[in-house]
């Protein structure tokens, strides 16, 4: 008999706080999220992925190379500072002495040179800019990500959330095999766990609805989402073709422009889905969604 389902509201209302799209977790939810990330890191060992930790911000110039600001301006969270020019800091201090200060006007800010990432994998392509690879790259990383949305809901959609990715950069054949492998692996794991899902072709939410890349994605599906209960995307398998290889001048081991692809897991969404389906007691979760003891200790 499957474990009794616990409505997510019971678990989340007791152990979360959501304000302006910013989610705070406490107690058992923190541990459950940690266990899920350990599981995804273990899944990355299928291809021998090496774990990386990248800086938490990316330069405007790097993301501009990938057409980020013409494609996703509505998602971007920019990083600035108090204008350091002569007299600016003193003027800001005088204006900021009011105890009810809620925001800092643009007149006090320096131009933004950095961006908080909306997806983890950008850091990989930025890091390997201008290189020729000696072999195919398999990298896994965990990153806080930030996306402005029209509305927020705890566990389903936040301004700030965590994304674990497994990334492949190399030849077209290697990337296609990587994506096919994980697409079938995820289907098997989710079926075995009894987690209700569907797989749907998807397009990225480009700012300009006329963007030709939307047409390309429809003609040649480049993104497949795993939807919990048919509606909540908890994982995606993404084929970038050679777009990032061209934009960041990355070559595969044969000297050709590199292809890339990634598998992405939204930790808070997985947390939401699993607590809804299996309840808050991790000991009752199905074995396919538990990391091995050896993975849990690394």
């Amino acid at each position: 008999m499957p474990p009794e389902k616990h409505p997510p509201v019971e678990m989340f209302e007791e152990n979360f706080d959501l304000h302006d799209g910013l989610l705070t977790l406490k107690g058992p939810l923190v541990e459950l999220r940690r266990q899920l990330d350990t599981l995804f890191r273990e899944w990355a060992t299928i291809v021998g992925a090496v774990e990386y930790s990248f800086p938490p911000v990316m330069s405007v110039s790097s993301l501009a190379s990938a057409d980020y600001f013409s494609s996703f301006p509505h998602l971007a969270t920019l990083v600035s500072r108090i204008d350091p020019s002569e007299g600016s800091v003193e003027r800001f201090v005088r204006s900021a002495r009011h105890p009810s200060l809620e925001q800092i006007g643009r007149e006090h800010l320096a131009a933004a040179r950095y961006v908080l990432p909306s997806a983890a994998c950008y850091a990989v392509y930025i890091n390997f800019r201008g290189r020729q690879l000696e072999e195919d790259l398999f990298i896994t990383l965990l990153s806080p990500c930030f996306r402005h949305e029209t509305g927020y809901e705890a566990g389903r959609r936040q301004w700030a959330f965590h994304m674990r990715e497994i990334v492949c950069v190399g030849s077209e054949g290697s990337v296609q095999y990587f994506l096919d492998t994980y697409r079938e692996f995820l289907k098997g794991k989710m079926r075995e766990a009894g987690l209700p899902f569907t797989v749907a072709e998807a397009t990225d939410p480009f700012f300009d609805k006329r963007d030709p890349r939307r047409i390309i994605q429809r003609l040649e599906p480049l993104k497949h989402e795993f939807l919990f209960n048919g509606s909540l995307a908890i994982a995606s398998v993404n084929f970038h073709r050679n777009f990032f290889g061209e934009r960041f001048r990355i070559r595969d081991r044969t000297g050709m422009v590199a292809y890339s692809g990634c598998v992405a897991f939204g930790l808070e969404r997985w947390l939401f889905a699993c607590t809804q389906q299996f309840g808050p007691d991790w000991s009752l979760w199905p074995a396919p969604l538990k990391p091995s003891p050896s993975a849990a200790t690394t």
Side-chain angles (χ1 to χ4, degrees):
M1 179 180 296
E4 179 185 357
K5 294 181 182 179
H6 298 254
V9 66
E10 295 180 7
M11 184 65 173
F12 275 78
E13 282 189 346
E14 183 180 352
N15 293 289
F16 89 94
D17 177 59
L18 182 69
H19 181 68
D20 289 340
L22 300 175
L23 180 68
T24 299
L25 301 178
K26 71 176 182 179
L29 290 182
V30 177
E31 177 57 27
L32 288 173
R33 185 175 64 183
R34 184 181 297 115
Q35 293 288 354
L36 283 168
D37 185 54
T38 301
L39 176 71
F40 301 146
R41 283 195 293 116
E42 184 173 20
W43 288 355
T45 63
I46 294 172
V47 293
V50 176
E51 184 155 27
Y52 275 66
S53 177
F54 294 103
V57 296
M58 301 173 184
S59 71
V60 166
S61 60
S62 293
L63 287 179
S65 298
D67 295 344
Y68 182 83
F69 299 104
S70 59
S71 299
F72 308 113
H74 52 302
L75 300 181
T77 300
L78 306 180
V79 178
S80 185
R81 59 177 293 191
I82 303 302
D83 185 355
S85 59
E86 185 176 355
S88 294
V89 174
E90 289 78 5
R91 285 193 297 274
F92 168 72
V93 170
R94 287 195 299 270
S95 70
R97 286 191 172 127
H98 198 287
S100 62
L101 180 71
E102 294 186 358
Q103 63 182 23
I104 298 171
R106 68 185 69 182
E107 68 273 12
H108 297 295
L109 299 176
R113 295 178 54 222
Y114 292 92
V115 186
L116 295 174
S118 59
C121 64
Y122 285 112
V124 175
Y125 317 123
I126 293 169
N127 185 74
F128 287 90
R129 180 199 293 267
R131 300 195 200 181
Q132 178 169 345
L133 307 179
E134 296 181 0
E135 58 185 2
D136 296 330
L137 290 178
F138 298 97
I139 291 173
T140 185
L141 67 155
L142 173 67
S143 177
C145 293
F146 303 81
R147 294 180 185 177
H148 285 292
E149 304 278 6
T150 56
Y152 301 105
E153 184 179 352
R156 298 176 65 92
R157 195 174 297 276
Q158 295 89 212
W159 176 20
F161 57 97
H162 294 81
M163 185 182 294
R164 165 68 64 177
E165 290 203 36
I166 309 167
V167 183
C168 175
V169 185
S171 68
E172 181 178 9
S174 295
V175 173
Q176 289 281 19
Y177 182 76
F178 163 83
L179 296 175
D180 291 343
T181 296
Y182 274 104
R183 191 180 299 110
E184 295 308 309
F185 174 82
L186 289 175
K187 289 178 183 176
K189 284 292 184 182
M190 293 172 77
R191 288 192 190 108
E192 188 180 354
L195 194 64
F197 76 97
T198 54
V199 180
E201 296 175 1
T203 57
D204 285 316
F206 293 116
F207 177 69
D208 186 349
K209 305 302 183 184
R210 300 164 299 176
D211 194 304
R213 282 165 294 180
R214 293 177 63 89
I215 299 173
I216 291 172
Q217 285 189 332
R218 287 172 181 160
L219 294 175
E220 178 189 355
L222 305 180
K223 182 184 184 78
H224 291 86
E225 291 181 331
F226 285 73
L227 306 177
F228 170 68
N229 275 338
S231 61
L232 181 65
I234 59 175
S236 63
V237 177
N238 308 276
F239 182 39
H240 308 135
R241 301 194 301 172
N242 58 0
F243 176 80
F244 290 113
E246 288 181 342
R247 293 307 178 92
F248 292 101
R249 306 185 314 281
I250 305 171
R251 301 278 173 174
D252 67 18
R253 63 180 181 273
T254 68
M256 301 293 290
V257 175
Y259 280 68
S260 66
C262 70
V263 183
F265 305 93
L267 292 189
E268 285 77 11
R269 288 187 174 190
W270 272 84
L271 180 63
F272 179 92
C274 290
T275 53
Q276 176 171 346
Q277 187 68 20
F278 307 115
D281 186 346
W282 184 69
S283 68
L284 298 179
W285 285 19
L289 296 183
K290 293 181 179 180
S292 65
S294 59
T297 58
T298 57

